[in-house]
Amino acid sequence: MTSTPVIPAHLLPEDGRFGAGPSRVRPEQLAALAREGTRLLGTSHRQNPVKDLVARVQAGLARFFDLPAGYEMVLGLGGASTFWDSAAFSLVRSRAEHLVFGEFGAKFASVTDRAPFLERSHVIEAPAGSRPAGPRPEAGVDVYAWPQNETSTGVAMPVRRVPVDDALTVVDATSAAGGMAVDLAQTDVYYFSPQKNFGSDGGIWFAAFSPAALERVERIAASDRWIPDVLSLATAVENSRKHQTYNTPALAGLVMLDEQVRWLNEQGGLQWAAARTAQSSSLVYEWAESSPVAHPFVAEPEHRSPVVCTVDFDDAVDAARVAGVLRANGVVDVDPYRKLGRNQLRIATFASVPPSDVRALLECIDWTVAELA
Ligand SMILES: *Cc1c(COP(=O)(O)O)cnc(C)c1O
């Protein structure tokens, strides 16, 4: 039995959290929690100051995303996975088309596919590590859906509206939002959970809704379809307009999110964040391309995610052992997506991760690989 190698302290990143969600929470977010907490935690979500907090987050996100006129920032409890069920009940009229190139896109596709009141979904699939050419207009489809960033594989997909009358373009931006450029006018619903680029807690979703999406929600709510109360998007819209949620939210995450959105806007907003993740991810991909034992999992450089970098290792290197050594040294959550089953490391280069820490991580990986050889 050999003991776990100890990485020299001078090589270690300042902060060892590189997870793709939950992700690094900046110390300033925790300080905000300590500062604001006594005033906010344990008080009613139907009163100020909690409603002010929610309104501030909504306005901060609207500013960050340059929310187009007529769009609304809606929120609800349960996270992106819950949003899939809500979308099946409240957004899809009869049939959805999904681009599936990883676990998260597949999960949403499965939700609308199995909904007994909807037609079978139209699924366009591509193998892990690649992506479909794009959405294909299809008769009877009224929602076109795909993830902007497939977190399980590290593949990014462009966000461009599907030009079909009366159809909605619905984008899962859970790991993209806050770290990848987007023009919201190209979407009808752009939804995300805040435990990725926004470095907050999960359990809640936010979504920018276009006027067409708001109208769709209203029409379906007025139809005779049964919609569970907690999943109803009409109820979420109504509550969001009052800076509330239908049922009781966890407030700590909202405080941390508020601080993160404030910080991001102060740094220069989405443009700044996208430039930073581009820089950090380039460090990883360039390192992998020049490494004798590692290479980017996503073959096509244009498809590579700027926020979730997947790196395959040759058989000579046991990536799980490398991740284990890193973890023992406080550098955590670079394990690959569990169901992908590859000899791989997955490194999140979200906006909260400074490029200097990415550089340090790569040095730690090189050191560990050499040590285990
Ligand atoms: C993390 C993630 C989800 C799931 O988010 P939850 O908040 O855990 O439901 C969905 N889609 C994508 C693209 C993700 O990265």
Side-chain angles (χ1 to χ4, degrees):
M1 212 37 228
T2 51
S3 60
T4 306
V6 177
I7 300 175
H10 73 273
L11 293 181
L12 291 171
E14 230 172 272
D15 189 315
R17 292 172 291 177
F18 292 93
S23 67
R24 175 183 304 215
V25 181
R26 290 180 314 110
E28 292 80 0
Q29 294 172 271
L30 292 168
L33 188 56
R35 198 172 58 240
E36 305 285 322
T38 44
R39 202 169 59 91
L40 278 156
L41 302 193
T43 75
S44 170
H45 60 295
R46 309 223 180 270
Q47 303 289 338
N48 294 328
V50 177
K51 283 175 49 156
D52 283 343
L53 168 68
V54 172
R56 205 157 59 237
V57 170
Q58 288 171 299
L61 288 170
R63 181 177 155 208
F64 182 77
F65 287 113
D66 197 9
L67 200 69
Y71 279 58
E72 293 185 31
M73 193 53 75
V74 182
L75 65 151
L77 301 188
S81 305
T82 307
F83 190 85
W84 296 328
D85 288 312
S86 284
F89 275 108
S90 289
L91 268 182
V92 184
R93 198 166 44 216
S94 55
R95 192 174 189 213
E97 176 179 295
H98 297 265
L99 304 186
V100 171
F101 46 106
E103 276 299 312
F104 291 106
K107 283 180 174 176
F108 186 18
S110 157
V111 166
T112 60
D113 193 52
R114 287 176 298 131
F117 47 90
L118 299 177
E119 288 171 40
R120 300 297 304 269
S121 300
H122 185 239
V123 175
I124 302 175
E125 209 162 343
S130 67
R131 72 186 193 199
R136 261 200 322 266
E138 173 87 6
V141 165
D142 55 81
V143 159
Y144 290 88
W146 65 88
Q148 184 182 13
N149 184 67
E150 178 46 78
T151 320
S152 63
T153 59
V155 172
M157 188 78 202
V159 174
R160 265 191 304 269
R161 176 182 291 287
V162 182
V164 174
D165 268 357
D166 204 27
L168 303 176
T169 298
V170 175
V171 174
D172 180 353
T174 299
S175 58
M180 286 177 72
V182 68
D183 173 7
L184 287 196
Q186 294 292 329
T187 71
D188 290 295
V189 179
Y190 188 78
Y191 65 94
F192 56 92
S193 306
Q195 73 274 23
K196 314 227 169 170
N197 274 287
F198 290 105
S200 184
D201 268 338
I204 190 166
W205 55 260
F206 287 81
F209 273 64
S210 74
L214 292 165
E215 191 193 315
R216 173 76 66 84
V217 163
E218 211 171 291
R219 285 199 181 202
I220 292 181
S223 74
D224 54 13
R225 181 184 293 173
W226 170 71
I227 301 177
D229 292 333
V230 287
L231 295 178
S232 163
L233 290 180
T235 302
V237 168
E238 187 191 316
N239 276 282
S240 299
R241 285 175 178 156
K242 295 187 278 189
H243 316 300
Q244 294 181 28
T245 46
Y246 173 67
N247 57 319
T248 317
L251 297 185
L254 283 167
V255 175
M256 294 193 291
L257 176 58
D258 181 38
E259 170 58 27
Q260 182 77 344
V261 174
R262 194 196 59 73
W263 175 72
L264 285 168
N265 279 329
E266 200 179 274
Q267 298 304 306
L270 182 49
Q271 233 186 338
W272 175 84
R276 178 148 142 137
T277 63
Q279 188 195 348
S280 288
S281 56
S282 294
L283 291 171
V284 177
Y285 294 127
E286 282 164 19
W287 162 83
E289 274 175 338
S290 64
S291 162
V293 292
H295 48 97
F297 170 48
V298 181
E300 185 58 55
E302 236 202 81
H303 301 177
R304 287 176 195 159
S305 166
V307 286
V308 175
C309 309
T310 44
V311 177
D312 272 356
F313 283 82
D314 295 344
D315 289 345
V317 174
D318 181 350
R321 264 200 86 197
V322 174
V325 170
L326 291 170
R327 179 171 292 281
N329 284 272
V331 178
V332 302
D333 297 342
V334 294
D335 319 75
Y337 188 76
R338 57 198 144 75
K339 284 196 210 151
L340 205 55
R342 297 188 71 87
N343 190 33
Q344 180 175 99
L345 295 180
R346 180 176 62 157
I347 301 162
T349 48
F350 290 147
S352 292
V353 179
S356 55
D357 269 1
V358 175
R359 264 187 221 105
L361 167 66
L362 298 174
E363 283 193 37
C364 288
I365 295 173
D366 279 339
W367 184 91
T368 304
V369 167
E371 189 71 13
L372 294 177

